[in-house]
Amino acid sequence: MKEEIDKHTGEKWIQLNDEEVKYGFLAQCIEALAEAEHSNYIAMFERLENVNMTEGYILAHYNVLHTESIENIIADLKALLHKRESDKRT
């Protein structure tokens, strides 16, 4: 993270590096998926970690995922989460 001042307006702004942007995207996905599943953030994070979807899917496929609408991302993540949890139980 790098704080800068706009030379034209004098306003401060923060520039995030690529990794910070990716982790922000991951957080947004977890929050939105938790809301869609009527769950809390921590419980959703644990579910995703349990089936290797945080780093193994969301971050690994960030370049493709972040180009989609949040609605499509959440629908896809929800379906994949349920599939992976089901596969893990069997």
Side-chain angles (χ1 to χ4, degrees), residues 2-88:
K2 183 171 130 183
E3 188 174 304
E4 294 191 13
I5 298 176
D6 186 301
K7 63 183 174 185
H8 301 289
T9 65
E11 293 182 22
K12 289 184 180 180
W13 57 282
I14 296 173
Q15 181 176 356
L16 302 176
N17 65 38
D18 290 345
E19 186 174 320
E20 291 166 328
V21 170
K22 287 179 183 178
Y23 277 94
F25 175 76
L26 174 62
Q28 180 184 12
C29 289
I30 295 168
E31 289 171 0
L33 191 53
E35 185 177 316
E37 288 281 292
H38 308 290
S39 178
N40 69 51
Y41 182 91
I42 299 299
M44 182 54 62
F45 174 75
E46 290 172 352
R47 285 176 67 189
L48 292 169
E49 279 284 294
N50 193 38
V51 293
N52 191 31
M53 282 183 61
T54 53
E55 291 193 32
Y57 186 78
I58 297 170
L59 291 176
H61 300 286
Y62 167 79
N63 289 337
V64 173
L65 288 173
H66 88 280
T67 64
E68 293 289 326
S69 71
I70 192 67
E71 295 82 12
N72 286 345
I73 293 168
I74 297 312
D76 290 345
L77 291 177
K78 190 175 182 178
L80 182 59
L81 175 62
H82 291 183
K83 180 183 181 330
R84 287 189 176 188
E85 286 177 330
S86 177
D87 290 350
K88 193 167 186 173

